[in-house]
Every structure is written in C-alpha cells, then in structure tokens.
Amino acid sequence: MELQYRKNDKTGEELYYTTHSSGLGIYIIPKKDYSKTYAIFGTRYGSVDSKFVVPGESELTEVPDGIAHYLEHKMFDQPDGSNVFDKFSKYGGNANAFTSFNITAYLFAATSNIEENIETLMDYVQSPYFTEESVQKEQGIIGQEIRMYDDSGSWKLFFNFLNCLYKEHPVKKEIAGTVESISHITPEYLYKCYDTFYNLSNMSIVVVGNVDPVKISKVIENGVKKNEPFEEKIKKVYPTEPDEVAKHYAEQSLSVAMPLFMTGFKDTNNCFGGDELLKKSIETNIILKMLFGRSSKFYKSLYEKGLINNRFSLEYTMQPDYAYSSIDGESSDPKAVYEAVINEVEETRKNGLSKEDFERIKKVVWGEYIRSQNDVEDYAVTFLQMLFMDIDYFNFYDVYKTITFEDVQKRFEEHFVKEHSALSVINPV
C-alpha cells in the first residue's frame, strides 16, 4: 500500500493519504512537536439515515429512528465479554465515540503506545456482536439517556429550533430517537445497518499527531479485516424539504436560570458538496461575524443594553442536503434579540455590507483556520467531517482566496431572509 504525499505551502502542514483495497480512506497528518496523537475512525452514517437502499439491492430499507446512535453504543460490546475501554486504558488511550446527524465516529487520544491503540480501535470497530439479551438491556440505558436530554434546556432549545426550520427533513429528529422508536430495534436491524454503513468503502480513518506515517499506515493496513468494497454508493433517501420554514417560533419552559434563545436562518441553496460547499460555508461565516460577531455594532449595542451576555455564539452548520445559520445565548428578552437580528438584516439589505468589515473579518477567518490546526482533536474531527462532504480541507486556502466582497454580498442576499428565520426560546419554569 503506497502513501501519497501533499504539503500545504501556506501552513506547512503535511498529509499522507491512500485508499486501501477494502475502500478504507487513510489520512495521516504528522505533527512532530506535539505530545498527543488523536485518531478517529468514522463512517458516513448518522441519525438522518433511516431510509436507504443497500448497494446490490433494489428494495428500500427503513429502520427505527435512533438506530445509528444505538449501534454506536452496542459496538463497545465484545464477543469475549471484555471491555474495550479497559484495553485502551492498558495502553494509555482515552477512548470515546459519537453519533451526529451524518457521522458515527470512534476515537482515542494518547501520548504513547499509539500503534497498540490503533490496533485496538481497528479491531473493535470491525467486530460487531449483538444478542437479543444485550439489545434489550441497552433499551433501558438509552431510554434513560433520552429522558435526560428531555430535561436539558440547551438540548431542547436546539431541537425546537430545528423543528421550526424543517418540515420534513429528519435533521429535526433527535439523534437518539425516542423511547418508543428504540423499542423496535432488534439485532437483525443492527446487523443490517452495520453491514451496510460499516463497509470500509464507506469509512475513513484520520490520525493527527507525533507519528511516523509509514509505520501507522502499516498498522492500519494490518488491522483491516476481510471487507469487500461496495461498487456503488449507498443510496440514502430523504424526503423533499420545502424552502419555507415549518414555523417561526417555538417556546418551552424548563429548569434554566434565565431564558435561552436560538435564532437563525434556514439555507435553501443546497444539494452540493466539495469546494462549492466549502466556499458557501466560508462566505456565511464571514457574514455572521460581520453582522453579529463580538466586534460588531450589533453585539456591542445589545450587550450594553443587557440583552445579551458572554454566553453568545454564532455558527453555520452545513451538509450537502441541508444547512442553517444559528445565533444563540441567554437573554432576559429573547424576542427583543430576535427583532434586533431581523432589524440588522433589513438595515444591511438597504445599506449594503461594509467592504472594510469584509476585509478585516476575512483575515479573522483565515486566522481561525490556522489556529484550529494547533488542536489535534478539533483538527482531526473537522478533517473527517469535511472529507465526508467531499471537501478537501487541506485545500482551504485555495477556496478562501477566491472569495470576493461581491460573493459575500450575493450570499447575504440569498441566505439572510426574514421569511426563512425562526426563534426558539426556553423559559425558566
């Protein structure tokens, strides 16, 4: 297995990569002066993927909501009854896993015994073991987790917001599913999803840290178990989502110290990935910082009025089939914050964006990209996320440098539309 090599002239970062005969993508980013190494082994499979057609089949498969997260939990069960976390601990590895809307990933961080930790990671992710008894037992554990999330103000704020934006797309559904939906999960369903989405041709592994790329690639290669790559992509089936939001406002009362808010805009320009999606992401982040960032007049005004505090964040979340911008925080008057957001957008629509602000914020965005490479965990996770959207994250600068003020103006007009906005509020009980 021969590694290919790239070096980013702008950042000095090096990348060694290849595709194994099994279809597994292997990406190694060495950082010689770092003590910690981080590895993430992920699949293009998340909570939204409950309807799909397996390569080689013609019938649609539909599984219960929450099964991707459920499968992640069950992957830690070993046929010999051993505990995977104990194996990692033996080698000084701190292991974890997560399921998002579009990705399931297994990972570890370590400062030594990297090869042994990678062997452990490769082994257990390729060793599914589900029994009727263990699956039923897990329903109670995950059911408790779901009920815990039901009491979380920030969690409900987020999903209430998504339920405002989306009428049909499963991104509005909670990642763990519901107590009712997981009650229908069986070992047969789990094996069906595993055999489909954990095919190595649907997976990649990213290693970032103080490693020898050749040695690590050999460890990964030796850890690959028998796997026949799919000759075609898994067909994921999503409902048609209209441009309109489902509703503009949602409110709930929970045990929180002060009201929480999340507002933002549904993106209606979707159905593409790669450089085009990366460019759209950079443009939108520039606009968010220009209009609402901590150096903006908007932020200073609302902060001085006591309408917002230091718990205030901006984010643009994107996938090829859905995307949205969000602004969230705490406020004594969330509706006043929402009105201020809409007023800022309407004023900008009349007066235009500031070219001076654009030039300044564009440099800030580049600086954030450079700083992100100092955190091996964040960089590895982001690299994998981008990879699964067909984005070459190593190519960030080449896309970034093409963005003009006119591009950002056009993107503002397209995305920041009042009719596509929504507000979610969690009030204290």
Side-chain angles (χ1 to χ4, degrees):
M1 187 175 70
E2 185 177 346
L3 289 174
Q4 294 179 276
Y5 172 79
R6 288 172 61 192
K7 183 171 183 178
N8 189 316
D9 294 333
K10 278 290 177 181
T11 65
E13 292 289 313
E14 297 178 301
L15 172 66
Y16 294 81
Y17 63 101
T18 190
T19 301
H20 186 265
S21 59
S22 63
L24 176 67
I26 301 169
Y27 301 84
I28 303 167
I29 302 170
K31 288 185 172 285
K32 297 175 183 177
D33 298 326
Y34 284 66
S35 59
K36 184 165 68 173
T37 294
Y38 189 89
I40 181 166
F41 189 10
T43 174
R44 296 173 177 85
Y45 177 46
S47 64
V48 301
D49 302 318
S50 59
K51 295 180 181 180
F52 54 91
V53 178
V54 181
E57 297 183 5
S58 57
E59 295 296 316
L60 176 71
T61 296
E62 186 170 357
V63 295
D65 290 334
I67 198 168
H69 172 259
Y70 206 103
L71 179 52
E72 174 224 310
H73 273 234
K74 297 310 298 172
M75 286 307 300
F76 288 97
D77 289 353
Q78 295 295 285
D80 62 2
S82 63
N83 187 311
V84 170
F85 290 105
D86 288 342
K87 291 182 181 179
F88 278 109
S89 295
K90 177 182 175 182
Y91 298 120
N94 182 15
N96 209 336
F98 69 83
T99 304
S100 66
F101 295 122
N102 300 87
I103 294 176
T104 306
Y106 304 85
L107 49 97
F108 75 83
T111 57
S112 60
N113 302 311
I114 305 304
E115 294 179 20
E116 291 84 353
N117 279 299
I118 288 179
E119 287 172 354
T120 303
L121 179 67
M122 294 289 295
D123 179 61
Y124 90 88
V125 176
Q126 296 178 86
S127 305
Y129 178 67
F130 316 127
T131 66
E132 195 72 46
E133 182 183 5
S134 70
V135 170
Q136 288 181 359
K137 181 181 177 182
E138 197 71 32
Q139 287 177 1
I141 296 170
I142 295 181
Q144 288 180 333
E145 184 179 336
I146 290 169
R147 293 184 187 96
M148 179 186 70
Y149 283 130
D150 285 341
D151 294 327
S152 169
S154 58
W155 188 258
K156 298 307 293 186
L157 177 78
F158 175 55
F159 278 96
N160 290 348
F161 174 66
L162 292 180
N163 274 273
C164 284
L165 295 186
Y166 293 95
K167 291 184 177 182
E168 304 293 340
H169 198 285
V171 71
K172 70 179 186 173
K173 298 180 180 180
E174 297 200 22
I175 291 168
T178 64
V179 172
E180 197 278 331
S181 72
I182 66 170
S183 70
H184 301 289
I185 293 175
T186 64
E188 291 74 24
Y189 275 138
L190 291 172
Y191 277 116
K192 179 78 170 184
C193 292
Y194 181 88
D195 291 340
T196 301
F197 293 102
Y198 285 66
N199 185 290
L200 291 182
S201 60
N202 192 54
M203 302 181 75
S204 290
I205 184 168
V206 179
V207 182
V208 182
N210 191 359
V211 294
D212 180 326
V214 175
K215 284 184 179 179
I216 294 301
S217 68
K218 287 180 179 178
V219 172
I220 295 171
E221 182 178 21
N222 292 336
V224 171
K225 299 185 179 182
K226 185 179 179 181
N227 187 276
E228 295 296 327
F230 287 144
E231 294 182 1
E232 55 189 85
K233 287 188 176 182
I234 302 162
K235 182 181 178 182
K236 301 176 181 182
V237 179
Y238 307 123
T240 301
E241 175 64 36
D243 288 348
E244 298 78 22
V245 298
K247 53 187 175 181
H248 292 286
Y249 184 69
E251 185 177 37
Q252 188 175 353
S253 295
L254 288 169
S255 180
V256 294
M258 69 181 297
L260 308 179
F261 72 88
M262 178 173 279
T263 185
F265 300 84
K266 180 179 184 178
D267 200 342
T268 58
N269 180 24
N270 300 306
C271 301
F272 54 84
D275 285 354
E276 189 178 1
L277 181 56
L278 177 59
K279 183 172 183 286
K280 183 178 75 163
S281 170
I282 298 170
E283 290 169 352
T284 311
N285 278 311
I286 288 172
I287 298 166
L288 282 170
K289 292 179 189 300
M290 288 174 67
L291 296 184
F292 311 114
R294 291 177 185 260
S295 64
S296 68
K297 292 178 182 177
F298 169 91
Y299 180 86
K300 291 175 182 176
S301 173
L302 267 63
Y303 190 87
E304 289 171 0
K305 291 176 182 176
L307 285 172
I308 57 175
N309 55 28
N310 286 327
R311 185 182 169 181
F312 182 85
S313 62
L314 314 168
E315 189 170 3
Y316 180 65
T317 303
M318 84 285 191
Q319 284 290 323
D321 56 302
Y322 68 86
Y324 57 88
S325 58
S326 59
I327 304 162
D328 69 277
E330 295 178 333
S331 177
S332 58
D333 191 347
K335 289 184 178 179
V337 175
Y338 172 73
E339 289 172 6
V341 167
I342 297 302
N343 287 339
E344 184 68 22
V345 167
E346 294 304 314
E347 284 296 313
T348 304
R349 196 170 291 279
K350 280 192 284 186
N351 301 325
L353 293 165
S354 162
K355 192 167 186 178
E356 182 181 346
D357 286 348
F358 163 74
E359 298 291 351
R360 176 174 55 85
I361 297 298
K362 187 180 178 184
K363 292 175 183 176
V364 170
V365 169
W366 173 245
E368 289 178 347
Y369 172 75
I370 295 295
R371 285 193 298 275
S372 74
Q373 297 178 6
N374 295 327
D375 185 330
V376 294
E377 296 184 24
D378 181 63
Y379 192 48
V381 171
T382 303
F383 190 97
L384 183 74
Q385 290 172 331
M386 295 291 180
L387 187 67
F388 286 172
M389 290 183 272
D390 298 320
I391 292 172
D392 181 355
Y393 201 45
F394 226 62
N395 198 35
F396 184 94
Y397 182 76
D398 289 341
V399 174
Y400 163 88
K401 70 181 181 182
T402 67
I403 295 172
T404 65
F405 180 61
E406 289 70 29
D407 290 334
V408 170
Q409 288 264 41
K410 183 180 177 181
R411 177 63 184 149
F412 168 77
E413 296 285 344
E414 169 188 86
H415 177 56
F416 291 85
V417 178
K418 180 180 178 180
E419 288 72 27
H420 296 159
S421 69
L423 172 66
S424 170
V425 176
I426 300 293
N427 285 315
V429 174

